[in-house]
């Protein structure tokens, strides 16, 4: 069995509307979207490849990020919490939220009780955001 590192939700609706819903669900849990990468546009522009609508949202909770970076500066390599939205069918999108608890257990990061607690807090918040969508 493959270990998962995301919380997945399938939503009905227009791609852009789903992104707006995801952004609002994250906002309700204290996360802002710092980055938005439209993968399909990048692939078309850079290598002239057509790809389904696929966007990566870089979500950040500033309070949790500050705590994590204060505990260990190199944890910045694991930030922000990425969320992907991809068109998976007609009028349907698959949303994947990274599991911050898994991120904070990577390699030696998992040896820090502070980072484990921050990751658990972030995972709870991400979980509630995901659950609020359906």
């Amino acid at each position: 069995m493959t270990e998962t590192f995301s919380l997945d939700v399938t939503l009905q609706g227009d791609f852009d509307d789903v992104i707006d819903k995801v952004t609002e669900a994250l906002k309700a849990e204290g996360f802002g979207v710092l980055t938005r990468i439209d993968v399909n546009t990048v692939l078309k522009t850079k290598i002239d490849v057509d790809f389904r609508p696929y966007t990566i949202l870089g979500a950040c909770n500033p309070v949790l990020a500050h705590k994590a970076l204060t505990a260990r500066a190199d944890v910045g390599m694991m930030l922000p919490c990425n969320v992907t939205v991809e068109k998976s069918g007609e009028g349907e999108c698959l949303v994947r939220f990274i599991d911050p608890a898994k991120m904070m257990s990577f390699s030696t990061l998992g040896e820090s009780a502070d980072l484990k607690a921050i990751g658990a807090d972030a995972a709870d918040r991400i979980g509630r955001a995901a659950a609020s969508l359906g």
Side-chain angles (χ1 to χ4, degrees), residues 106-129:
F106 178 77
S107 189
T108 61
L109 295 178
E111 297 170 6
S112 167
D114 289 340
L115 290 179
K116 281 178 141 175
I118 294 162
D121 185 1
D124 288 344
R125 294 167 187 257
I126 292 285
R128 286 191 301 266

Side-chain angles (χ1 to χ4, degrees), residues 1-103:
M1 186 164 116
T2 304
E3 183 179 8
T4 62
F5 58 94
S6 65
L7 302 167
D8 302 351
V9 179
T10 300
L11 297 176
Q12 302 302 312
D14 173 74
F15 184 74
D16 290 323
D17 291 341
V18 169
I19 290 174
D20 290 343
K21 288 176 187 175
V22 169
T23 300
E24 286 303 311
L26 289 165
K27 184 178 178 182
E29 291 297 332
F31 289 85
V33 173
L34 301 179
T35 59
R36 178 178 170 159
I37 303 168
D38 294 320
V39 174
N40 50 311
T41 301
V42 171
L43 292 177
K44 185 65 176 176
T45 302
K46 299 294 184 183
I47 61 173
D48 196 28
V49 171
D50 292 318
F51 196 74
R52 68 187 172 282
Y54 190 110
T55 295
I56 303 169
L57 303 174
C60 180
N61 179 303
V63 172
L64 296 179
H66 178 254
K67 287 180 182 178
L69 291 166
T70 300
R72 187 166 159 179
D74 64 343
V75 78
M77 299 294 294
M78 304 303 278
L79 303 178
C81 293
N82 284 327
V83 178
T84 63
V85 179
E86 64 182 284
K87 186 171 181 177
S88 56
E90 192 57 43
E92 182 178 273
C93 296
L94 175 60
V95 182
R96 292 187 176 108
F97 295 82
I98 190 73
D99 181 343
K102 296 267 172 79
M103 288 175 25

